[in-house]
Amino acid sequence: MAETTYREAVRAAIDDAMSSDERVFLMGEDVGHYGGCYAVSMGLLEKFGEQRIIDTPLSESTFTGAGIGAALNGMRPIVEIMTVNFSLLALDQIMNNAATLMHMSGGQFNVPLVIRMATGGGKQLGAQHSHSLEGWFAHIPGLKILTPATVQDAYDMVGLALQDPDPVLIFENALLYNAKGELDLDAIPLPIGKAKIEKEGKDVTILTYGISVFKALEAAESLAKEGINAEVIDLRSLRPLDDETIMASVAKTHRVVIVDEGWKSGSLSAEIMARINEQAFYELDAPMARVCTAEVPLPYAKHLEDAALPQADKIVEAAIKTVGVS
Amino acid sequence: MNLTIEKAKEFYSKMLLIRRFEEKCIELYSSQKIRGFLHLYIGEEAVAVGLCDALSEDDAVLATYREHGHALIRGISAKSVMAELYGKIDGCSRGRGGSMHLFDAKSRFYGGSAIVGGGLPLAVGMALADKMQNRNRVTVAIFGDGAVAEGEFHESLNLAALWELPILFVCENNQYAMGTALKYTESQTDIYKKAESYNIHSKQIDGMDVVEVAKAAARAVEDIKDTSKPVFLECLTYRFRAHSMFDAELYREKTEVKVWKEKGPLVVFEKKLKELGLWSEIPVEAIEADIKDTIDEAVEFAENSELEPLEDLEKFVYSEVSNG
């Protein structure tokens, strides 16, 4: 076990994968000579050379599509898209090719592709660099969607994704790259599709993923002072969702708060609510609550941006309200 | 290319197979045996036949939604294509693809893509993988003139040239992007000139002449295998039928269609063979009879093929065996 940053953990995972499998390569904007726009790939060009750390032009659609083509033809590409908003330029390739080829071909062509991208707001980057669109991608059958919150998952999920025969998208919250945590390189990773109970509790279940896990844990500490024992679950995987862990927790606490950095309308939080309604309605003692991003494109000004994003105090407020209703 | 009598027979038979297969498709569509979008290739047969003549089994082909011809000539059986059009389990995509999404791993046929320009980036990646693994084979990207307006066309040409990838770009310029003539959508209607601007060796050829296509394709494949650099062929051609079965075809004059029909691939080829004194040796009736049998068998096969069981609806969304 060693303390490391989230950034270093992702880099170590790519390094390990490239060292152990010749078919793995990294491709994206600024990943090579620049060193990675979030410095994730710093030093990898020197180690693996231009043939495997490939700088691309600003052509998201085509280099993502090229990743799909390379995956179809025997390679194990990792495509880095600088930020989630840019992934929309590649949405055609992700949706119409990566997610559909397996099905359209009647099971003949799988696409073992990994796409990584930064997601999330909080750095005053305005409305074209700050959104949390992972919930959108989680809508699409054929894709798997991972959202590492911890340093351990930042490392483990790259390896898990590369071992998966199908396209896996990893959303790394940009604010987490400097976060530190313990990394055990030999730990057996939790599989894709498995949520993790970050903190056990009995009064209310807080379901979330990514950076909001830490906001939820902070909220849980405040709630403890109010005598409310919250359970915090890191969903880890948004598609597939771990219904089993979610429903088991609901059956234990009977109250639910969902924290989702996406917008509320048509969001992942809406999906989770619907599933709980379908599968565990009679376990509920109160209406479910959710804390999402305000329904605005993210503003630049710090106070407005902070107010738009889910924060610990809003989670506390939602949980208290939920627990107070019986 | 030395046009032997064997080659002449082969070209003629293959072009006629596509023609007759699709004529049968029209009939089956009208009687509602097959549905969905149906984009016919009639008039463009010389491109598929000439092009595929230059390819080996190792080469990969990515085509568009007007791909029955390429699929048949690349080696997907008429039975398998027909069963796919019927939406049956024995179809080359188990009935999940339909006319626009024919796939076959055995013949390295990677679609069947119905997003205009969407297959081009895949071809870039396929060729990149070949280059990275030191495999001396070619990826062929077939697309129409409509794709030229898409950003992915330009992104893909740029990357293929920049990374020196073994791709053969084949533009089937049939003069219309869906129902709109090229002159209304492109500032430069000589498409090969766009490719030249990316430093790609490019050529415009008569896509109605199967021999010219075969020659140009053979030369291109040879160049690509020698240099590992992309080559671009613009094949001037014409579809005799509407864009799809839903198209009332109000946008072009019958006289224009007539002029192009006189330059049709079968007409041109027959004329050429007559000039060479080979026509009398083409057993036209026997070829017609063989093709009729092939198509009749394909229809019978498709009729008798099973439907995929409903309980398999959600299969093939993810791989069944996880390596994880």
Side-chain angles (χ1 to χ4, degrees):
Chain A
M1 296 281 270
E3 192 178 68
T4 182
T5 64
Y6 187 96
R7 168 185 295 110
E8 288 160 353
V10 179
R11 183 190 303 141
I14 297 170
D15 192 335
D16 288 357
M18 289 186 64
S19 301
S20 62
D21 187 345
E22 287 278 318
R23 299 171 302 171
V24 178
F25 69 98
L26 176 70
M27 171 164 67
E29 293 155 349
D30 278 353
V31 298
H33 295 90
Y34 182 86
C37 69
Y38 289 99
V40 167
S41 51
M42 189 75 81
L44 295 179
L45 176 68
E46 289 69 24
K47 182 163 178 184
F48 294 104
E50 286 179 353
Q51 305 302 312
R52 295 181 72 197
I53 302 292
I54 304 178
D55 279 319
T56 64
L58 310 185
S59 308
E60 288 84 358
S61 187
T62 286
F63 71 70
T64 303
I68 299 167
L72 281 170
N73 205 5
M75 301 299 285
R76 291 290 179 274
I78 305 174
V79 168
E80 178 176 309
I81 297 178
M82 198 176 282
T83 183
V84 69
N85 293 76
F86 305 166
S87 73
L88 302 185
L89 291 147
L91 189 55
D92 167 55
Q93 287 299 332
I94 297 171
M95 162 77 223
N96 284 320
N97 283 332
T100 59
L101 278 164
M102 178 78 180
H103 194 76
M104 285 195 304
S105 67
Q108 293 180 83
F109 296 120
N110 64 310
V111 181
L113 169 70
V114 177
I115 303 175
R116 299 172 36 246
M117 65 187 96
T119 188
K123 287 180 84 170
Q124 286 193 266
L125 297 179
Q128 294 181 340
H129 280 68
S130 303
H131 289 131
S132 295
L133 304 178
E134 49 277 355
W136 274 11
F137 287 97
H139 177 66
I140 303 172
L143 303 180
K144 294 180 182 174
I145 306 298
L146 303 182
T147 51
T150 63
V151 166
Q152 188 69 45
D153 270 347
Y155 178 82
D156 288 344
M157 284 181 177
V158 172
L160 285 171
L162 281 167
Q163 285 162 34
D164 198 279
D166 299 313
V168 181
L169 276 60
I170 304 179
F171 292 82
E172 299 161 9
N173 191 293
L175 288 180
L176 287 174
Y177 285 123
N178 287 327
K180 286 186 177 170
E182 295 292 321
L183 175 62
D184 180 356
L185 293 174
D186 300 320
I188 295 165
L190 271 183
I192 290 174
K194 192 80 193 136
K196 186 177 174 220
I197 300 172
E198 276 293 336
K199 179 195 166 296
E200 300 249 12
K202 61 176 181 53
D203 299 326
V204 57
T205 296
I206 305 177
L207 296 166
T208 190
Y209 66 90
I211 197 168
S212 299
V213 170
F214 302 101
K215 295 176 180 178
L217 289 170
E218 190 188 330
E221 275 184 37
S222 306
L223 288 165
K225 290 174 195 150
E226 308 276 338
I228 298 169
N229 186 3
E231 177 146 299
V232 176
I233 293 181
D234 176 1
L235 295 166
R236 298 179 71 250
S237 159
L238 307 189
R239 187 179 190 101
L241 273 168
D242 183 358
D243 286 358
E244 200 184 336
T245 300
I246 294 170
M247 302 314 153
S249 182
V250 174
K252 182 165 73 168
T253 66
H254 312 293
R255 289 173 165 83
V256 177
V257 175
I258 303 159
V259 186
D260 175 357
E261 217 182 271
W263 293 293
K264 196 179 273 187
S265 308
S267 64
L268 186 87
S269 65
E271 170 65 21
I272 295 171
M273 276 189 157
R275 289 189 187 208
I276 294 171
N277 186 54
E278 286 166 345
Q279 298 172 45
F281 179 77
Y282 293 105
E283 296 291 351
L284 292 170
D285 282 347
M288 293 178 274
R290 43 187 176 150
V291 181
C292 298
T293 289
E295 304 266 325
V296 292
L298 276 186
Y300 159 74
K302 177 85 175 121
H303 68 297
L304 295 176
E305 187 186 40
D306 285 347
L309 292 168
Q311 305 293 358
D313 58 341
K314 292 182 197 164
I315 303 170
V316 170
E317 203 179 305
I320 289 175
K321 201 172 158 196
T322 303
V323 173
V325 180
S326 58
Chain B
M1 162 182 271
N2 184 19
L3 190 64
T4 60
I5 183 65
E6 284 71 30
K7 196 52 97 180
K9 277 187 213 166
E10 183 193 328
F11 282 174
Y12 188 78
S13 307
K14 285 181 169 173
M15 289 197 291
L16 200 65
L17 171 67
I18 302 174
R19 179 72 58 96
R20 296 289 179 255
F21 184 91
E22 294 210 309
E23 285 167 353
K24 178 56 90 177
C25 289
I26 298 168
E27 210 181 298
L28 293 166
Y29 199 89
S30 304
S31 58
Q32 308 209 359
K33 290 283 188 181
I34 60 178
R35 298 274 80 197
F37 274 132
L38 182 68
H39 304 92
L40 299 170
Y41 194 61
I42 291 173
E44 305 186 28
E45 297 91 342
V47 181
V49 173
L51 169 65
C52 293
D53 185 60
L55 305 179
S56 71
E57 280 182 4
D58 283 346
D59 300 326
V61 172
L62 291 91
T64 67
Y65 50 81
R66 197 183 300 286
E67 88 284 27
H68 298 171
H70 314 94
L72 289 168
I73 304 308
R74 265 312 267 175
I76 311 185
S77 70
K79 285 179 177 175
S80 181
V81 175
M82 191 59 84
E84 187 58 33
L85 301 183
Y86 268 71
K88 298 286 187 75
I89 198 167
D90 296 311
C92 57
S93 308
R94 295 178 74 96
R96 284 173 161 78
S99 168
M100 301 195 288
H101 305 296
L102 305 174
F103 290 91
D104 184 44
K106 271 202 310 294
S107 41
R108 303 203 75 222
F109 194 79
Y110 291 81
S113 177
I115 304 293
V116 171
L120 290 166
L122 262 54
V124 168
M126 299 271 306
L128 176 65
D130 281 337
K131 186 171 178 167
M132 291 176 100
Q133 301 197 355
N134 296 314
R135 293 183 294 228
N136 192 18
R137 57 195 196 186
V138 171
T139 299
V140 183
I142 301 165
F143 51 96
D145 42 291
V148 171
E150 298 279 359
E152 280 171 324
F153 170 84
H154 299 274
E155 294 183 16
S156 297
L157 261 55
N158 180 48
L159 273 183
L162 180 72
W163 292 347
E164 301 189 345
L165 299 178
I167 303 187
L168 175 56
F169 291 104
V170 179
C171 177
E172 297 182 320
N173 180 358
N174 67 17
Q175 326 292 327
Y176 288 87
M178 295 194 292
T180 300
L182 210 55
K183 65 180 176 187
Y184 299 121
T185 59
E186 285 297 320
S187 61
Q188 169 58 272
T189 52
D190 283 326
I191 290 166
Y192 75 101
K193 289 184 182 168
K194 292 174 189 281
E196 275 179 348
S197 78
Y198 291 97
N199 292 325
I200 294 177
H201 179 61
S202 307
K203 207 173 168 199
Q204 188 179 57
I205 59 169
D206 179 358
M208 301 305 250
D209 181 342
V210 65
V211 178
E212 187 174 342
V213 177
K215 273 186 197 166
R219 177 72 196 275
V221 168
E222 204 175 302
D223 283 355
I224 293 165
K225 287 190 173 166
D226 281 352
T227 63
S228 180
K229 286 183 185 173
V231 174
F232 191 101
L233 289 181
E234 178 187 1
C235 305
L236 297 176
T237 184
Y238 200 80
R239 55 172 166 71
F240 296 168
R241 305 282 306 187
H243 168 68
S244 77
M245 294 299 280
F246 293 107
D247 169 7
E249 221 183 333
L250 304 172
Y251 48 81
R252 61 186 189 186
E253 298 292 335
K254 289 205 165 58
T255 50
E256 181 188 293
V257 182
K258 189 168 170 281
V259 168
W260 275 93
K261 279 190 175 173
E262 284 161 13
K263 301 191 270 191
L266 287 161
V267 178
V268 165
F269 195 52
E270 184 179 330
K271 202 171 147 203
K272 185 183 291 261
L273 292 179
K274 280 178 178 161
E275 280 165 15
L276 292 171
L278 293 174
W279 178 248
S280 58
E281 295 186 52
I282 303 289
V284 177
E285 280 178 28
I287 291 172
E288 284 276 13
D290 269 0
I291 290 172
K292 186 176 180 307
D293 287 349
T294 302
I295 292 170
D296 287 349
E297 282 166 21
V299 172
E300 196 189 338
F301 177 79
E303 288 277 351
N304 293 330
S305 175
E306 300 290 322
L307 293 168
E308 179 102 32
L310 276 183
E311 56 267 29
D312 287 351
L313 171 65
E314 291 181 28
K315 272 178 88 171
F316 311 124
V317 177
Y318 297 99
S319 299
E320 287 181 4
V321 182
S322 172
N323 300 334

